[in-house]
Amino acid sequence: MSPDELVYLGVLAASIPVGFLFRYLSPPVKQGAALLLGLSITIATCHIHTLHSLVTVIGTWIIIKSSWRHAPALSLGWTFLYLLFFRLVTKFGLPSPTPFANAVQLLLTLKMVSLANEVQSFHVEKKKDVSSFAKSPVVGGLSQEPSIYDILSYSYCYVGIMTGPFFRFQTYIDWVRQPSPLALPGLTPCLQRLKLVPVYGALFLAVNSVFPLAYVRTEDFLDQNVFYRMFYMVAIFFVFRMRFYSAWCGAEAGCISAGLGCYPEKALSKPGGGPTVDYSPDPTTEEKYDFKTIQNIDCYNTDFCVKVRHGMRYWNMTVQWWLHHYIYPNAPFKAYTLRAGWTMFISAYWHGLHPGYYLSFLTIPLCIAAESAMEASVRAKLGPRGQNIFDWVHWFLKMRAYDYMCMGFVLLNAPDTINYWMSIYFIVHVIAVCCILVGRVLKGGRKEGRRGEKEEKREGEKIDNDKKKSGEKTD
């Protein structure tokens, strides 16, 4: 493991026992202590580059105070433009940020855009309340506009400050103001989330030592037979998954120990978003709680779901929620595949400027179009046994597609990514294009189009309903 990875591991490991201590603190002390600890971690790991995150926070606060109506769009533009400056900072003669500063900046960008949307929602609902003299049925809405201290406390809260998961400002405030944190579940769900981390970690170290990424860049690798070169991407993606399974399960455990994101099961919480229905305690029954709000990875479904589009839902789940609510609905396209492409482009930009991100993320819409075409033209015409066989083949190809796209994500630069894909004859791109053509030949094109339109309509209605519940403005 690299020195940076050891620092990440140390922060994750320390956050778990510290979280249990935070349950003993009163709300004001908890808020101040979480800010102080998070700011200390940021300064210790980012040094002078802490100023980047501070400038981002202050800029967002100014936008919110100046124009809450336009705050969502302005904050998105501000934070994403600052990300560009942050990544090109050496061009201006400034020192290169540390990897830890990059991690803090990424999560802060999500938080600031979400905060601007929440504040806009608060003001919109406040105006409705005044005009109608009745409180609107908003789920998870703010009760007051946050102060600069609240915003700084949320931005630098130690929980997940470098590793995630993303959580909304309302989730943070609910955590600070928990009436009886010691009565909430903690140790059992924490241990449940951690039980497989040693396995994931051991597999990561073992397989990574046998299949190092650096070997892909050598001439000797290209001399290997094509089947070995294809298998290598399977091993690389396995290492990639084990690394993030370990990190994200550990990060979730840090949230669980502190009680962050703990809501009654009846709140029907979603990763990143929190409760989706109104809830109130029932003194006559024993309340059951969950931590779905801060769930960032579903390891089983990531590996065993059938479709490419479903695979995204179970990976980095809180960020997927953010993209689904703040980027996808505002895409400048109507077609489902194009909207997905736009969302993947924004996701690639959020991750960084490396061409490998764009080559990988923008392959996803092609794969989605391919699987939609085959489902409409082939699967729909099969019987139950045939559909079962189709799904197993579909799952196998889905995993190979993610293996293939992972190579761009880890190789980062365009020449290395294209050289690798060329060494295996762009096999996933070829298969995807062939599936689309087969779908059209079998007259699945029109069905695929209708299927995409229906799916897009369902997605749109679902997002609008969620926004109405949370009080966010819909176009």
Side-chain angles (χ1 to χ4, degrees), residues 347-378:
S347 180
Y349 176 83
W350 177 76
H351 279 86
L353 299 179
H354 297 289
Y357 293 146
Y358 300 86
L359 290 170
S360 295
F361 278 111
L362 294 179
T363 301
I364 291 177
L366 179 68
C367 294
I368 290 175
E371 68 182 7
S372 296
M374 292 301 289
E375 285 173 345
S377 62
V378 177

Side-chain angles (χ1 to χ4, degrees), residues 62-76:
I62 292 172
I63 288 171
I64 289 172
K65 296 299 289 185
S66 302
S67 178
W68 61 262
R69 288 182 179 85
H70 307 292
L74 291 175
S75 65
L76 182 65

Side-chain angles (χ1 to χ4, degrees), residues 341-404:
W342 172 256
T343 306
M344 291 301 99
F345 175 79
I346 297 298
S347 180
Y349 176 83
W350 177 76
H351 279 86
L353 299 179
H354 297 289
Y357 293 146
Y358 300 86
L359 290 170
S360 295
F361 278 111
L362 294 179
T363 301
I364 291 177
L366 179 68
C367 294
I368 290 175
E371 68 182 7
S372 296
M374 292 301 289
E375 285 173 345
S377 62
V378 177
R379 190 182 189 278
K381 300 174 183 177
L382 300 174
R385 180 175 174 80
Q387 289 186 351
N388 188 48
I389 295 172
F390 179 96
D391 288 344
W392 275 107
V393 174
H394 191 171
W395 168 80
F396 178 82
L397 292 175
K398 181 267 295 187
M399 291 303 295
R400 303 296 73 79
Y402 277 118
D403 296 338
Y404 184 84

Side-chain angles (χ1 to χ4, degrees), residues 28 38 44 63 122 151 186 207 217 257 292 294 354 356 388 421 469:
I63 288 171
F122 163 73
I151 294 173
V207 180
R217 296 187 173 98
S257 68
K292 288 184 178 179
I294 52 85
H354 297 289
N388 188 48
W421 283 352
K469 289 178 181 178

Side-chain angles (χ1 to χ4, degrees), residues 1 5-6 9 12 193-210 238-250 299:
M1 296 179 69
E5 288 175 325
L6 290 174
L9 179 61
L12 277 176
R193 203 56 180 143
L194 287 172
K195 67 180 182 180
L196 289 177
V197 169
V199 178
Y200 297 144
L203 288 172
F204 161 69
L205 294 172
V207 180
N208 188 49
S209 65
V210 178
F238 180 83
V239 169
F240 186 80
R241 296 202 310 280
M242 294 304 107
R243 180 178 179 228
F244 279 95
Y245 287 176
S246 303
W248 284 337
C249 286
C299 304

Side-chain angles (χ1 to χ4, degrees), residues 47-98:
H47 312 301
I48 189 64
H49 305 294
T50 302
L51 290 174
H52 288 297
S53 57
L54 185 60
V55 168
T56 304
V57 173
I58 298 300
T60 304
W61 174 70
I62 292 172
I63 288 171
I64 289 172
K65 296 299 289 185
S66 302
S67 178
W68 61 262
R69 288 182 179 85
H70 307 292
L74 291 175
S75 65
L76 182 65
W78 157 245
T79 55
F80 271 55
L81 282 173
Y82 197 90
L83 267 183
L84 182 63
F85 168 74
F86 177 81
R87 284 155 180 165
L88 300 176
V89 72
T90 54
K91 304 290 184 182
F92 298 90
L94 298 175
S96 178
T98 66

Side-chain angles (χ1 to χ4, degrees), residues 110-115 117-119 121-122 138-142 154-155 165-175 260-261 263 270-276 293-294 318 321-322 325-326 466-467 469-472:
L110 303 182
K111 285 182 174 182
M112 293 300 96
V113 174
S114 177
L115 175 66
N117 279 273
E118 290 181 81
V119 171
S121 168
F122 163 73
V138 177
V139 177
L142 301 181
Y154 169 57
S155 302
F166 156 77
F167 49 89
R168 297 166 65 230
F169 179 78
Q170 186 60 55
T171 302
Y172 166 75
I173 288 298
D174 289 345
W175 172 65
L260 177 67
Y263 291 100
K270 289 188 176 181
T276 59
T293 299
I294 52 85
T318 59
W321 182 91
W322 186 93
H325 279 75
Y326 302 132
D466 288 344
K467 285 188 173 184
K469 289 178 181 178
S470 63
E472 291 176 25

